[in-house]
């Protein structure tokens, strides 16, 4: 026996196939991979533009770069609410950094560990379908990645205390920018929902 399946054009399928449940694909849709790649490229280009406009490493530049990074990350995780999005984004960002500036490979393991920890926090907080889980995950990523990077710097430069203090101040300023980015990212998501760009 056959039955009609709605569509454009309509399809005729056997009843035995129609009764089978649709299995959820384990593969990443190409559209989502493209979105992650675009966000990774936009983050790096925006960071370069901010650094050029700001005239190098100064408090305002650090605040702006981290705020933009965190805002776009919050939007991405709402746009692609899927387990592994954060980790994949960090990996792609490291590759883009390597191609654009020849850096990023050294801190890649630290960033990946922080991303995996953040994925766990998101799962424990209700998953990617809950805004509070995403916000907590991004906050944990910013804190853990910067904390692990600072710990790595301490191992390398523990005999140069003055330089380590300077780096610690820069990291603290960067995290303040990340906290600002959490708020602005949440506002962006609300506006994008009204516009129909983000559906979650």
């Amino acid at each position: 026996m056959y039955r009609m399946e709605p569509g454009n054009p309509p399809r005729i399928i056997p009843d035995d196939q129609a009764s089978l449940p649709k299995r959820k694909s384990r593969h990443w849709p190409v559209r989502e991979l493209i979105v992650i790649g675009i966000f990774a490229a936009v983050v790096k280009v925006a960071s370069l533009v901010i650094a050029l406009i700001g005239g190098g490493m100064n408090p305002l530049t650090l605040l702006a770069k981290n705020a933009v990074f965190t805002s776009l990350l919050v939007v991405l995780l709402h746009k692609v609410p899927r387990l592994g999005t954060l980790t994949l984004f960090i990996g792609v960002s490291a590759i883009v950094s390597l191609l654009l500036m020849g850096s990023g490979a050294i801190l890649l393991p630290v960033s990946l560990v922080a991303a995996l920890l953040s994925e766990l926090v998101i799962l424990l907080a209700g998953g990617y379908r809950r805004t509070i889980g995403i916000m907590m995950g991004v906050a944990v990523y910013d804190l853990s990645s910067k904390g692990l990077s600072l710990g790595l710097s301490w191992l390398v430069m523990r005999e140069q205390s003055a330089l380590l203090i300077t780096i610690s101040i820069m990291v603290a300023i960067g995290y303040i920018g990340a906290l600002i980015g959490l708020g602005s990212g949440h506002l962006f998501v609300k506006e994008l929902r009204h516009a129909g760009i983000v559906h979650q």
Side-chain angles (χ1 to χ4, degrees), residues 38-60:
I38 290 174
F39 268 79
V42 169
V43 165
K44 291 305 174 185
V45 172
S47 297
L48 286 174
V49 171
I50 291 172
L52 291 174
I53 294 176
M57 299 296 290
N58 57 67
L60 290 178

Side-chain angles (χ1 to χ4, degrees), residues 2-103:
Y2 295 86
R3 74 177 181 87
M4 297 289 292
E5 182 181 78
N8 188 20
R11 293 188 301 166
I12 301 176
I13 60 173
D15 279 341
D16 57 346
Q17 292 185 14
S19 61
L20 293 176
K22 293 183 179 180
R23 291 182 297 178
K24 189 176 181 180
S25 175
R26 297 180 180 179
H27 302 287
W28 284 78
V30 175
R31 179 181 61 83
E32 293 183 353
L33 294 175
I34 291 174
V35 170
I36 293 173
I38 290 174
F39 268 79
V42 169
V43 165
K44 291 305 174 185
V45 172
S47 297
L48 286 174
V49 171
I50 291 172
L52 291 174
I53 294 176
M57 299 296 290
N58 57 67
L60 290 178
T61 302
L62 285 173
L63 286 173
K65 286 175 61 177
N66 283 274
V68 169
F69 174 85
T70 304
S71 298
L72 291 176
L73 184 55
V74 169
V75 173
L76 171 64
L77 296 184
H78 280 86
K79 180 67 176 175
V80 187
R82 188 184 181 106
L83 181 64
T85 298
L86 179 58
T87 305
L88 185 58
F89 168 77
I90 296 304
V92 174
S93 297
I95 295 174
V96 174
S97 295
L98 188 62
L99 294 175
L100 289 178
M101 299 176 289
S103 63

Side-chain angles (χ1 to χ4, degrees), residues 3 6 9 73 87 89 93 100 111 117 135 139 144 163 189 194 196:
R3 74 177 181 87
L73 184 55
T87 305
F89 168 77
S93 297
L100 289 178
S111 298
L117 177 61
M135 300 293 284
S144 57
L163 186 58
V189 169
H194 288 301

Side-chain angles (χ1 to χ4, degrees), residues 75 187-199:
V75 173
L187 293 177
F188 291 156
V189 169
K190 291 174 64 176
E191 294 299 324
L192 291 174
R193 280 174 179 158
H194 288 301
I197 299 174
V198 173
H199 302 290

